[in-house]
Amino acid sequence: MFFDLNITILYMVIFLVIFLAAAIRILREYQRAVVFTLGRFTGIKGPGLIILIPFIQQMVRVDLRTIVLDVPTQDVISHDNVSVHVNAVVYFRVIDPQKAIIQVEDFYDATSQLAQTTLRSVLGGHELDEMLAERERLNHDIQEILDKQTDAWGIKISNVEIKHIDLDESMVRAIAKQAEAERERRAKVINAKGEVEASENLLLAAQKLSENDLGIVLRYLQTMSDISSDKTNTLVFPFPTDFSKLFKGSLKE
């Protein structure tokens, strides 16, 4: 009789241990439990110690930390028909565990597929120069589109970053030629502007010198000094500046 009682107590202890092991759950600070009772959603529990009714209640753990999603390389044809290879990274987190479990089968895979299609559609509507020069604006546009579409899943898209935009070798050479031509064009434009400014200054100087004969004399002497300092065999015959008045008078007559 005493032996049978001990066996009964042992069975009860084993049953209690199994019951507690199946009923008690411990969730970390960044985890939540979506609880289902007989298949129906009954609430969200955690973090810390939670108790479930074994075989009647089940739970699904949901991580609330920010998830880094690496978007695979996508083949994108830009608006100006240039083929590029683009990859990006998406940062998101679950803000509503109930929607993340009930509204979508696998929120991670769904977000990944949506990010790939959105990346292709957004970049395909822009030209190559815009992809290279306005990456920050494109990141913001992709982030807004993803955030609106994943809101029904309880997902918050916090950031999107385009990592690489790879071009074919032929396109790289074409861009290098274009950049070289642009630099040459700018050099010619700057040179032409310099010629215009120089001609305007020369015209202004000539007008100032023509108003005063003494200015012409000073300029004449400066030219003579510059020639004399140069080690050449040039012969210079000074010409009196007063003779210019005679030429002016003869021209008037």
Side-chain angles (χ1 to χ4, degrees), residues 29-214:
E29 184 64 31
Y30 54 83
Q31 293 178 329
R32 297 295 183 270
V34 180
V35 180
F36 296 90
T37 302
L38 296 177
R40 296 180 62 87
F41 170 76
T42 54
I44 298 174
K45 295 184 179 181
L49 178 67
I50 65 173
I51 298 177
L52 303 176
I53 303 174
F55 309 110
I56 295 178
Q57 290 183 324
Q58 295 84 31
M59 76 168 193
V60 180
R61 294 176 185 263
V62 179
D63 196 321
L64 302 184
R65 293 177 294 180
T66 298
I67 300 174
V68 181
L69 173 63
D70 190 7
V71 181
T73 302
Q74 303 294 308
D75 293 330
V76 179
I77 299 178
S78 64
H79 188 66
D80 51 350
N81 296 323
V82 178
S83 179
V84 295
H85 305 287
V86 183
N87 64 342
V89 60
V90 178
Y91 299 86
F92 72 95
R93 63 186 181 90
V94 177
I95 59 175
D96 191 338
Q98 177 185 353
K99 291 182 179 179
I101 298 300
I102 297 176
Q103 299 298 329
V104 62
E105 180 181 3
D106 185 345
F107 66 85
Y108 185 89
D109 185 61
T111 304
S112 176
Q113 296 298 325
L114 183 61
Q116 296 177 39
T117 57
T118 304
L119 182 66
R120 290 195 300 267
S121 62
V122 171
L123 296 184
H126 294 79
E127 296 183 356
L128 178 61
D129 292 340
E130 294 177 341
M131 294 184 193
L132 299 175
E134 301 180 8
R135 186 175 298 187
E136 191 66 28
R137 182 172 64 87
L138 295 177
N139 290 338
H140 182 69
D141 293 343
I142 297 172
Q143 185 265 333
E144 281 191 344
I145 295 174
L146 287 176
D147 193 35
K148 289 180 180 179
Q149 296 184 357
T150 58
D151 183 64
W153 304 338
I155 304 297
K156 174 63 179 178
I157 306 296
S158 58
N159 193 19
V160 176
E161 292 291 339
I162 298 175
K163 294 197 298 184
H164 299 293
I165 299 179
D166 298 328
L167 304 174
D168 294 333
E169 291 296 331
S170 59
M171 184 55 60
V172 172
R173 291 193 295 269
I175 292 177
K177 291 181 180 179
Q178 180 183 2
E180 184 179 358
E182 178 65 19
R183 288 194 297 268
E184 291 180 356
R185 183 189 69 84
R186 291 180 181 180
K188 292 180 180 179
V189 170
I190 293 173
N191 187 31
K193 289 182 178 180
E195 293 290 342
V196 172
E197 292 179 2
S199 63
E200 291 176 352
N201 291 331
L202 288 175
L203 179 60
L204 181 60
Q207 292 175 351
K208 292 293 184 180
L209 290 173
S210 63
E211 294 174 358
N212 192 344
D213 294 338
L214 183 59

Side-chain angles (χ1 to χ4, degrees), residues 3 18 20 45 105 107 113 199 221 236 251:
F3 180 76
I18 295 174
L20 292 177
K45 295 184 179 181
E105 180 181 3
F107 66 85
Q113 296 298 325
S199 63
L221 294 176
V236 179
L251 290 175

